[in-house]
Amino acid sequence: MREIKTVTILGANGAMGSGSAGVIAAFGGAKVYMLARDVEKAKQGIEAAVASVKTDTIRARMIPGSYDADLEKAVAESDWVFELVAESYEVKEPINIRIAKARRPGTIVSTVSSGLSIGRLAKAYDEDGQKHYYGTHFFNPPYKMILCELVTHSGNDKKVTQALGEYLDKVLGRAVVYTNDTPAFAGNRIGFQLMNEVAHFAEKYADKGGIALLDEIMSGYTGRAMGPLATADFVGLDVHKAIVDNIYDNTKDEAHETFKLPGYFQKLIDAGKLGMKSGGGLTKVVKHADGKREKFVYNIKTGEYDPYPKFDIPFIKEARQKIKESDYKGAMDVVKKASGLEADIARYFISRYISYSLSLVGEVVDTKENTDGAMGFGFNWVPASAFVDFLGGPKETIKLMEASKIPVPKLLKDAKEGKKFYELGEKLDARSLFKG
């Protein structure tokens, strides 16, 4: 792989494009062509890139331009073409045809996609182009979220893959996770499985608290800074739909039915209630005349918004206290021993998360460290393997799964008792991701 001195960013004015450009210019020291639909938008991208890394020194290395006037010239000069245009084949494939005609042999071309087929997108290129074509799924915002899923396809060269991975890691400071070309790759497939199944449970238990109850049950003591349904609201229900629909249509694993979009999500999408970006979705915040803000939650049964309730669930309070005391195994012991519907649901989803993460090893990734890295670095969720240790090891985890009627993955069945299951400790301290 050539030394990367010049990079072209396509989609430079978007949040991901400008953020990625900032990282590449700041850490890689590269000259960056910032291309958008017009030059003014490209200039806006430069300002956003500078702001994202909080240094003005990169401005001199960033050159604005437009697709129509500058794409071929910029691509011909570049060592890496980083495409971040809209998430659709209809937009990406015509751009790829233009890039393929202009690129020099040996130039890396990569796309940011949350789940489109990298192999299909690579077909626009000749043999050398396919060898150098990848998915580089940065997470937003790139300066803070350091995960990069490096997605390979059958046409790649292993030596190029290794060199690109080392560049992303050592030069750009990415936490690189290697994934195969499968729907939604690793992070989104695991993350959106949990989020979507939690959404189904919210509907099932709509008369007991619905959305608010499920986010309380799956709150910080289960290893995530934001509840799964709050995360869906943050991402956008339309984006959530696109990801789960893609997985549902293109996979057939044991969790297949959990990727069906709940009817109330579609109802909200149809009404333009897409989440935080539209002013409300699963929840909304109302500012009153006196300046006070009040949070409301969508009532799945009535279709109205109710004041967001407070809950007093004893085992959750106890588990949170254990986490505040840095007793993570103690917190999981509380969860394992608690009784009642809420505890059953918590155990079910902790089991499901571990099971599904480990089940993708072999198909989506080659090692469990890749799924662990995807969830820890990309979602800020405690990785599945770390949960195995906090629960007391493989045997205790299997008992939990069997009680919840969750499939036990072979990787866990074959694991040695008494040996640490989680192996990213130095790179990612899983304990820091629990929230008391």
Side-chain angles (χ1 to χ4, degrees):
M1 189 179 88
R2 285 202 306 266
E3 183 181 355
I4 294 177
K5 296 180 179 178
T6 303
V7 178
T8 292
I9 300 286
L10 302 172
N13 60 308
M16 279 297 295
S18 59
S20 300
V23 168
I24 291 165
F27 297 120
K31 178 169 80 173
V32 182
Y33 284 104
M34 299 284 282
L35 303 190
R37 286 190 300 275
D38 60 61
V39 174
E40 286 309 310
K41 289 186 181 299
K43 288 178 179 177
Q44 291 169 16
I46 291 174
E47 295 308 313
V50 169
S52 74
V53 293
K54 299 179 175 60
T55 174
D56 198 57
T57 58
I58 66 170
R59 190 188 303 276
R61 295 196 294 275
M62 308 187 96
I63 304 162
S66 71
Y67 302 144
D68 288 344
D70 303 295
L71 187 146
E72 280 73 18
K73 175 182 177 295
V75 168
E77 189 183 331
S78 292
D79 306 301
W80 178 17
V81 180
F82 194 14
E83 173 267 299
L84 304 99
V85 300
E87 176 83 346
S88 77
Y89 293 117
E90 292 74 21
V91 177
K92 289 180 183 290
E93 287 178 332
I95 285 277
N96 274 337
I97 291 170
R98 292 180 64 187
I99 297 169
K101 289 178 180 177
R103 72 176 283 279
R104 293 177 293 156
T107 295
I108 296 289
V109 182
S110 70
T111 183
V112 169
S113 167
S114 60
L116 297 180
S117 168
I118 303 306
R120 172 175 166 174
L121 292 169
K123 288 179 180 176
Y125 297 86
D126 61 15
E127 185 178 349
D128 180 80
Q130 292 192 28
K131 185 187 296 187
H132 291 85
Y133 189 85
Y134 292 88
T136 44
H137 185 203
F138 282 29
F139 278 57
N140 198 25
Y143 185 68
K144 293 181 179 178
M145 303 298 289
I146 64 171
L147 177 67
C148 172
E149 288 183 311
L150 181 55
V151 188
T152 59
H153 62 94
S154 59
N156 288 131
D157 182 304
K158 289 184 179 179
K159 289 182 180 178
V160 177
T161 302
Q162 182 180 355
L164 179 57
E166 287 177 359
Y167 170 79
L168 291 164
D169 174 12
K170 294 182 168 53
V171 179
L172 298 191
R174 302 297 90 188
V176 180
V177 165
Y178 295 85
T179 81
N180 298 324
D181 187 15
T182 55
F185 317 130
N188 281 346
R189 185 147 164 196
I190 297 166
F192 281 82
Q193 188 287 317
L194 183 82
M195 289 156 61
N196 205 60
E197 192 172 11
V198 168
H200 282 291
F201 269 61
E203 188 168 26
K204 182 178 180 180
Y205 296 108
D207 60 343
K208 296 183 181 296
I211 292 164
L213 175 68
L214 264 294
D215 259 8
E216 178 72 7
I217 293 170
M218 297 305 297
S219 57
Y221 77 98
T222 68
R224 50 192 51 82
M226 187 184 290
L229 298 178
T231 303
D233 237 18
F234 176 77
V235 168
L237 303 190
D238 53 339
V239 176
H240 179 101
K241 171 183 166 60
I243 292 171
V244 298
D245 282 356
N246 177 38
I247 300 170
Y248 184 78
D249 290 343
N250 294 290
T251 65
K252 293 292 180 186
D253 60 28
E254 57 85 19
H256 181 251
E257 291 305 304
T258 69
F259 287 104
K260 273 188 180 175
L261 186 76
Y264 70 96
F265 268 50
Q266 188 63 59
K267 185 178 177 182
L268 286 164
I269 292 167
D270 291 343
K273 298 174 180 176
L274 305 179
M276 290 174 62
K277 64 185 177 184
S278 68
L282 301 177
T283 62
K284 68 176 183 179
V285 176
V286 174
K287 186 175 180 180
H288 296 294
D290 60 3
K292 289 184 179 178
R293 295 175 179 269
E294 186 178 5
K295 188 176 182 180
F296 290 82
V297 62
Y298 183 72
N299 186 315
I300 298 168
K301 285 195 164 183
T302 67
E304 303 295 330
Y305 285 89
D306 300 332
Y308 203 97
K310 290 184 178 180
F311 297 94
D312 185 11
I313 302 173
F315 88 90
I316 293 179
K317 287 183 5 184
E318 190 179 346
R320 285 174 176 159
Q321 184 56 42
K322 293 284 186 184
I323 289 167
K324 286 178 181 176
E325 296 165 0
S326 300
D327 183 2
Y328 306 99
K329 285 187 177 180
M332 290 303 102
D333 283 341
V334 169
V335 175
K336 286 194 291 184
K337 294 172 184 175
S339 59
L341 173 67
E342 293 90 348
D344 289 342
I345 292 172
R347 287 189 289 265
Y348 175 87
F349 278 112
I350 290 170
S351 298
R352 169 67 90 182
Y353 172 56
I354 299 167
S355 171
Y356 197 62
S357 293
L358 298 180
S359 76
L360 299 186
V361 177
E363 176 202 353
V364 177
V365 296
D366 292 335
T367 69
K368 62 182 173 64
E369 284 66 50
N370 281 306
T371 52
D372 287 343
M375 301 319 295
F377 291 115
F379 276 70
N380 281 337
W381 289 7
V382 171
S385 297
F387 265 114
V388 173
D389 290 337
F390 293 134
L391 287 166
K395 284 184 181 177
E396 282 292 308
T397 305
I398 289 169
K399 277 169 57 179
L400 196 75
M401 288 179 177
E402 290 175 341
S404 296
K405 298 181 180 178
I406 292 291
V408 178
K410 185 177 184 297
L411 194 65
L412 195 59
K413 289 178 183 175
D414 295 345
K416 291 182 180 179
E417 201 67 31
K419 184 183 175 184
K420 261 190 162 185
F421 195 73
Y422 179 60
E423 298 180 24
L424 286 181
E426 290 184 8
K427 293 182 181 178
L428 178 66
D429 183 359
R431 297 169 300 180
S432 67
L433 300 177
F434 280 109
K435 305 298 176 188

